[in-house]
Every structure is written in structure tokens, then in C-alpha cells.
Amino acid sequence: MWRAAAMNWVDIMLHRSYVSSVMGQLASSQSFEMQPMKVGEACGMPGEYRDRLQTLQGRIRVYQPYLRELSSRSAGLFPEEDALEDSLPKLEQSVERWISHIRLPSKKIKVLETRLFESRFLLRCLSHIPDNSFVLETFARASRYRPFIGLGRAENLLGLAQDSRVMMEMYPFPVSRKSRSEPDTVFVGLFAAEHAAQLERNLRATGVRFARIPSSLQGSPEQAMIALESDIQVMSKHVDALQSEIDWHSEKDRIAMWVNHMQHWLWLVDVMRSAACDTHFVRICGWAPEKNLAVLEAALQESNSPYLLQTSPPGAHGEPPVLLNNSRWLQPFENFVRGFGVPRASEIDPTPILGLTTPLMFGYMFGDVGQGLVLLVLGYLLKSRLPILALFIPAGLSAMLFGFLYGSIFSYEALIPPLWLHPMHEPLTVMGIALDFGALLLISSLVLSGIQSWWNGRMDYWLAERLPLLVLALALPLMYVHLGLGVGLALAAV
């Protein structure tokens, strides 16, 4: 707890055909940190494999919007082949077969979704137009003009309304005052056919949304809305049916399994840049905590792969990575330590001290039962979203404890009696205890400095430089007490 976990250098030798299963087990065990090989030793995977996998990934990404979450049964299975050169052809064939099955349904869905978007937009526009304002058939008779409808801000439409090439009518509708950027006007009109392209570009430049009115819409705006709602329902059902067809093919072709397999190989291709290998064997090197060596070996055995494992102290392998060795409730306080730099393996880890003193100091300064309870609840609810907020839990508990000692609930000190004192009534006592606590921290730091010097074989430095400070820090309180007793006895004698 007071010292970082001891690390060991690990060498693993295995056959190339077992790399996938071994690396998967090592990753899931979280007991091994791979070390990049020196320049010239790393082999990685052939570049051809990487390019083929990335091409396959791009092919799947095109159809990703239609690949919904599938059952864990199909997602959790993997082909038996362990070597990439055996798996990649099957992976490519399976993905291409799946794409050939869903290509046509996905194209139909794309077309239908575009029509749905346009129909919903038309429905929104027509809902703001009074009924019997016009009859849609009249637009079909204007062969030299193109009918359009849209939404925009009135100030952006003034220029268009004054254009001689356009005939249009505007229908304002109320919007919230806060929504100054939202449309507040529906406009309906006709473009001169020969100028339609230019006018449409002008509309897009002003941020106005518009659509052409299809000739299939007939009758008044209300009748057109009824027809649009019916079309939207039919198209939505058709989209659902096509998506169900895609889901059926995805389950049948076990595409979730193959996507997982592809992602696994992409990860492995990247990781294997740090390995050394020849035609038949791969050498993987890295660091593992000494306490996790049994977990590492169990992961290797679970892969059912023949391997050679050799462990050794750091020695000539360079500075090992640091793994702080703290219990679960102390781990949130490691954020403070990392903010000032992670201690080396030969240095004291101050996390346990911070885990004790930080909540105590917080509660001492902000002791309140109600506010502490709020922090406790917030920490419990938000720790999964932002792990550092788990610090609110010990801080809230400490604040509640001192809140009872101070008799304070949401800053009201008349609701419950204090178990100790009211800080505002006895400020000198509160300040004196804080000073004593600070002195105790300084003494503790000097003692821990001695332990660290002992670990590193530098006790001579500590005895010469730090011990006098420790003696002085201990002597001053004793002198203060002794002087106080002496003065008291003298006054009593008088």
C-alpha cells in the first residue's frame, strides 16, 4: 500500500499460429503491459494484411447504419482458425456475402428515408397554412413554373418576395421570442423554370429550407396533409420490413461474429508491431506485477497454446512502469498523486495519507450534515459517469460527521445540539487544532522520508539532514508544554 507494486520482466515465446488466442487472453487478464521492441527487431504483420483489413472495415462502415445490435449468441462466436492468413479469406468472403444480401434492401431504405424526410417537411409546412388558402392542382397547370414550399425567417425572404422571377405568398406563424433563429414564416410559390437553379442556390445561401411540391399532392392543404400522413405510415412500415430483412440476413450470415473477428485482428495487427518474430515463432516482452504472475500464467494456460514463459527482475531492461498498489477505496485519491507525478518504485506512495487526511480536512472545514449528504448522494450517482467524482463520497461522509460534531444542518445551528462545539463560538480552539494537525503532518512526512531513505540505502543522508528537523519538530511542543507548566507552577506559588 505504501509502495508501488513490484514489477517483473516477462518474456513469452510462442508459435505464430497461436498469437491471436494468446494475445486475447493476455488482454482480458489485464496483467501484462507489452513493451515495444527495439528498432530493427519488431516485425509486426505483413502490410498486405493490414490493408485488406482496413479495406474490409471501410466496406462494413458503409452499411453500419443498417447493422443494428444483434444477439450475443451470434456476436460471441469466433471461427476456429487462429492464424490471420487462414481467417482473413473466410472473413472477406463472409462479409461480401452479407453485403450482397443487404445491398438492395439498404438502397431501398435510403430512398425511402429521403422521401420520408421530404414528406415530413411538407407536412410541417402545410400545418402552418390556413385551409382553403389555395388548391394544389393549380400548381400543376403552371407548366413554365416550378412549385415550391419552405420555411424561413421573414427577414430572409423579403429579397425573394421582391424578385420578378418569383411568385410567392408568405404565411407567418408565432414562435417563441427566445427562438430568434428558428423559422417563423411558411412561403409557397412558383419559380420560373429557366431560373430555378439560380434561385434555389440563393435560397440555400440564406439558410432557408424548401422543397418542391410534388404533382401527386391534390386538394386543399388539409387534404394534402391527410394524404401525406397516410404515405408516411406506408413508407415507415416498408422501411421496418426492409430493416427486418436486413436483420434476418445479418443473423443468418453471423455478421456480428465476423465484425468482432475483424476488430480483433485489426487490434492484433497494431499490437504486433511491438513484437519480434521470425517465420515460425513470436517473442512478446513486457512487464507484469509480481503479484499478478500467477494470473498471467493462468491466462496463458487458458489459451490452450504451447508457450515458453520466463520472468526476471527489472535489471537491464530499463525503468519498469509504476503500478500503484492501493485498495479500491483509496484509488480515487491517486488522482492527486498523479497530478504531481507518479512516485517511482523506490519512493513512498502518499496515497494512503491523502486518503485519510483529505476527507478529514474537508470535513473539518465544511462540516455540515445536510451539505455532506448532498455530496454523498451526488458522488454515488455520478461516480460511474466520471470516476473522479467518487471523491465526493468520503468528502460527504466526513462533512456529515463533523456536521454532527458542530450541530450544523444546511448552516442552521439551532436544529440539533453539537456533539462537540460550535466553531463560531470557539474559533481559537478550532484554529489551534488545525495548527496541531499541520504539525503532525510535517512530523509524519519526516518519518516517511526516513523509511524511503532506508529503502534506497541513504540513511546517512537522512540522519544528517532530516533527523535534526524531526528532533526539533518533536522538541518544540515539549518545550511549549514544559514552559507552560513552569509558568503555571510559578503563578500558583505566588
Side-chain angles (χ1 to χ4, degrees):
M1 183 170 66
W2 293 96
R3 197 170 187 174
M7 304 296 286
N8 278 54
W9 179 259
V10 177
D11 271 302
I12 303 172
M13 184 75 72
L14 62 147
H15 195 271
R16 289 182 68 108
S17 59
Y18 295 101
V19 168
S20 173
S21 57
V22 169
M23 292 303 298
Q25 288 296 331
L26 290 178
S28 61
S29 71
Q30 297 184 348
S31 59
F32 179 71
E33 181 177 312
M34 196 167 177
Q35 186 76 6
M37 304 300 294
K38 296 178 181 178
V39 177
E41 295 183 10
C43 65
M45 294 283 188
E48 175 200 354
Y49 292 160
R50 187 181 304 111
D51 294 341
R52 288 167 67 181
L53 284 167
Q54 289 175 346
T55 300
L56 204 58
Q57 186 181 37
R59 296 273 289 155
I60 293 175
R61 192 177 289 125
V62 172
Y63 298 95
Q64 195 72 35
Y66 311 106
L67 182 59
R68 299 195 293 200
E69 282 194 35
L70 304 175
S71 68
S72 57
R73 176 181 59 82
S74 64
L77 300 174
F78 282 83
E80 296 179 357
E81 290 80 4
D82 194 52
L84 179 56
E85 52 267 29
D86 297 327
S87 287
L88 188 53
K90 285 193 174 183
L91 177 61
E92 290 172 327
Q93 292 170 10
S94 300
V95 171
E96 290 299 331
R97 182 172 61 250
W98 172 71
I99 290 175
S100 68
H101 289 156
I102 71 161
R103 183 183 288 112
L104 184 58
S106 63
K107 284 183 178 179
K108 290 180 179 179
I109 288 178
K110 193 171 183 179
V111 172
L112 284 170
E113 285 178 340
T114 302
R115 289 176 57 190
L116 276 169
F117 178 81
E118 293 175 351
S119 297
R120 290 182 177 124
F121 178 71
L122 288 169
L123 186 64
R124 181 185 174 191
C125 293
L126 290 170
S127 67
H128 294 293
I129 298 176
D131 198 26
N132 300 321
S133 298
F134 52 83
V135 177
L136 289 166
E137 289 92 330
T138 56
F139 293 122
R141 303 190 195 106
S143 58
R144 294 180 52 197
Y145 294 89
R146 292 183 181 174
F148 63 93
I149 188 170
L151 289 169
R153 299 287 297 180
E155 57 266 25
N156 295 335
L157 298 171
L158 293 177
L160 185 67
Q162 298 169 1
D163 195 318
S164 60
R165 298 169 296 178
V166 178
M167 293 182 294
M168 62 180 286
E169 187 71 30
M170 294 193 293
Y171 301 91
F173 58 89
V175 295
S176 171
R177 291 184 179 180
K178 296 180 180 179
S179 307
R180 295 184 177 179
S181 60
E182 290 187 7
D184 61 359
T185 303
V186 174
F187 59 96
V188 182
L190 297 169
F191 281 149
E194 61 270 21
H195 303 298
Q198 179 62 43
L199 292 170
E200 288 179 359
R201 284 195 295 269
N202 294 343
L203 278 176
R204 292 190 183 96
T206 58
V208 173
R209 292 178 57 189
F210 67 96
R212 294 180 182 177
I213 299 176
S215 57
S216 57
L217 286 181
Q218 304 289 323
S220 66
E222 185 176 355
Q223 292 171 331
M225 288 172 60
I226 295 172
L228 282 171
E229 288 172 349
S230 176
D231 289 345
I232 287 172
Q233 288 181 357
V234 172
M235 286 188 289
S236 298
K237 289 180 180 179
H238 196 183
V239 168
D240 291 340
L242 289 169
Q243 183 62 58
S244 297
E245 181 182 348
I246 291 175
D247 292 344
W248 184 83
H249 284 297
S250 299
E251 287 283 355
K252 181 185 175 184
D253 296 335
R254 302 196 301 176
I255 189 61
M257 176 192 73
W258 292 107
V259 168
N260 285 351
H261 201 206
M262 178 199 67
Q263 292 171 343
H264 171 77
W265 279 113
L266 280 168
W267 166 78
L268 191 62
V269 164
D270 186 59
V271 167
M272 288 307 294
R273 297 179 186 179
S274 300
C277 59
D278 58 19
T279 307
H280 300 289
F281 297 100
V282 175
R283 179 191 173 203
I284 302 168
C285 303
W287 299 97
E290 189 174 300
K291 64 177 183 177
N292 286 355
L293 289 179
V295 177
L296 175 65
E297 191 157 5
L300 289 171
Q301 291 174 356
E302 195 170 339
S303 67
N304 296 320
S305 309
Y307 65 90
L308 292 175
L309 173 66
Q310 181 178 359
T311 62
S312 58
H317 301 291
E319 187 77 16
V322 174
L323 176 65
L324 299 181
N325 188 23
N326 293 301
S327 57
R328 184 176 179 182
W329 74 272
L330 283 174
Q331 288 174 3
F333 294 94
E334 292 177 359
N335 291 285
F336 294 115
V337 177
R338 292 192 177 94
F340 292 96
V342 179
R344 289 181 294 180
S346 59
E347 295 177 340
I348 287 278
D349 176 12
T351 305
I353 297 179
L354 289 169
L356 176 65
T357 59
T358 303
L360 279 177
M361 288 190 291
F362 182 86
Y364 194 74
M365 291 186 291
F366 302 102
D368 188 281
V369 177
Q371 294 168 7
L373 180 61
V374 170
L375 285 176
L376 175 64
V377 172
L378 285 176
Y380 181 78
L381 295 177
L382 299 178
K383 65 179 181 178
S384 57
R385 295 188 179 184
L386 193 60
I388 195 173
L389 295 183
L391 291 169
F392 281 5
I393 296 177
L397 289 171
S398 181
M400 291 177 66
L401 172 63
F402 279 95
F404 284 113
L405 294 176
Y406 297 157
S408 175
I409 299 180
F410 289 113
S411 300
Y412 289 99
E413 298 184 347
L415 297 177
I416 58 173
L419 299 179
W420 180 31
L421 53 77
H422 284 304
M424 297 302 293
H425 297 169
E426 300 184 48
L428 293 180
T429 302
V430 174
M431 291 177 64
I433 292 176
L435 289 173
D436 293 340
F437 186 73
L440 181 62
L441 280 181
L442 290 175
I443 292 171
S444 301
S445 67
L446 291 171
V447 172
L448 292 175
S449 174
I451 297 174
Q452 181 173 293
S453 298
W454 179 45
W455 288 349
N456 296 327
R458 299 187 61 196
M459 282 300 293
D460 53 345
Y461 163 79
W462 186 82
L463 292 172
E465 298 288 338
R466 301 299 182 192
L467 182 59
L469 294 175
L470 178 59
V471 172
L472 182 61
L474 291 171
L476 284 176
L478 295 175
M479 291 173 59
Y480 173 77
V481 173
H482 181 72
L483 181 61
L485 288 174
V487 172
L489 291 172
L491 291 174
V494 173

